[in-house]
Amino acid sequence: MKAEMAVVRGRRLAAFAFAALCASGLLARERKVVMTVEGGDSDAEAVAFLKKNALGNAANGHPVAYVAKPGAGPLHITVADTNGATVYEGGDKNEAVVAMVDTLTNLPVPGQLIAGVPLKKFRQYRKRLVMGVKAEGYALAPFKNALKSRKPEEVAEAQAILDSIEKAKKRLAEDIKDDLEAGDKGMALRDIRWYITTWPSERAAYEADFKRLSADQEAVKAERAWFAARKNRK
């Protein structure tokens, strides 16, 4: 019983610390799909439907933000992906929810290198190919060797994996640029750490920023809080 109480107290303290970081603005942001609902005062049912779906997904752990801008004008809905690009704009509540769900479904899992690739021969690599684990040189040999196979399906799977890794690399480089420009030190430290450990041959490109952020206590605290929150959600 005492052990159980200690666990509960520990979780409460972790939650309190997490909330405090959020309030202080130190916690690294998590990119979200944003649904913005403007106007629609005369269509309360549609607004309630949109709010229920957006907040319901958020409550289930999906990265969704709901922004309401009430007004007397016609209902106008915008759904933006995690990069801020508009994936839906209009007044149809059903189409807006479908766009939100589709966008969430296609989001890559944070830290995963293989996204959207149906795996058969290389199924065991799904958990091995993640950010923070070297993904260059010999690590890619199984897939590059498979490109020489006489089995078209094996070649296609190997190429899809290599393409996914390259896409993840480019996306992470873009995220680092955005993090630094936004002054989001916690997320920048996390992303740079992922990049230089996954592709160590390119460490020099981020060495200066990594040293600077690693010495910044606010950045370190925010990065640790992000990983702790992610671990608690599993």
Side-chain angles (χ1 to χ4, degrees):
M1 179 64 72
K2 290 183 178 179
E4 292 178 356
M5 290 298 293
V7 171
V8 171
R9 284 196 296 270
R11 288 178 178 173
R12 286 176 178 172
L13 287 171
F16 178 80
F18 179 74
L21 281 169
C22 289
S24 67
L26 296 181
L27 182 63
R29 75 191 186 286
E30 183 173 14
R31 299 171 182 87
K32 296 184 178 183
V33 174
V34 180
M35 175 183 284
T36 303
V37 179
E38 302 179 70
D41 280 358
S42 60
D43 197 350
E45 184 179 345
V47 173
F49 174 80
L50 293 163
K51 183 177 181 180
K52 178 181 178 180
N53 277 274
L55 297 185
N57 273 279
N60 287 328
H62 299 291
V64 180
Y66 177 79
V67 179
K69 298 180 179 180
L75 182 64
H76 184 80
I77 315 157
T78 304
V79 178
D81 65 16
T82 54
N83 294 316
T86 299
V87 295
Y88 175 80
E89 185 171 10
D92 189 304
K93 67 180 190 299
N94 294 313
E95 290 183 4
V97 169
V98 168
M100 176 189 70
V101 172
D102 285 347
T103 304
L104 289 171
T105 301
N106 293 321
L107 285 179
V109 177
Q112 192 177 75
L113 291 179
I114 304 178
V117 180
L119 299 179
K120 292 183 179 180
K121 178 178 175 57
F122 300 106
R123 192 173 300 160
Q124 73 272 26
Y125 286 93
R126 186 179 297 279
K127 292 184 178 180
R128 299 183 196 177
L129 289 171
V130 294
M131 296 290 185
V133 177
K134 188 177 179 180
E136 58 183 12
Y138 287 115
L140 302 182
F143 317 115
K144 291 185 176 180
N145 290 336
L147 296 178
K148 305 172 186 177
S149 173
R150 295 182 179 180
K151 299 177 181 179
E153 65 277 9
E154 187 174 316
V155 173
E157 184 177 340
Q159 187 60 62
I161 290 172
L162 291 170
D163 290 344
S164 180
I165 293 172
E166 186 61 26
K167 184 178 180 180
K169 180 180 180 181
K170 291 180 179 178
R171 184 170 55 242
L172 185 60
E174 293 173 357
D175 287 344
I176 292 172
K177 181 181 178 182
D178 291 342
D179 296 335
L180 293 172
E181 289 179 351
D184 190 338
K185 296 185 290 186
M187 192 63 81
L189 181 57
R190 185 209 72 172
D191 286 344
I192 292 174
R193 188 185 304 280
W194 270 353
Y195 196 99
I196 64 178
T197 52
T198 309
W199 297 281
S201 65
E202 300 184 25
R203 183 184 182 98
Y206 296 106
E207 187 69 31
D209 286 318
F210 184 65
K211 287 183 177 179
R212 174 177 58 82
L213 292 168
S214 295
D216 187 315
Q217 289 304 307
E218 288 187 0
V220 171
K221 186 181 294 185
E223 183 197 26
R224 288 176 179 171
W226 186 90
F227 279 110
R230 183 188 181 203
K231 183 178 180 180
N232 290 334
R233 284 199 296 266
K234 291 183 178 180

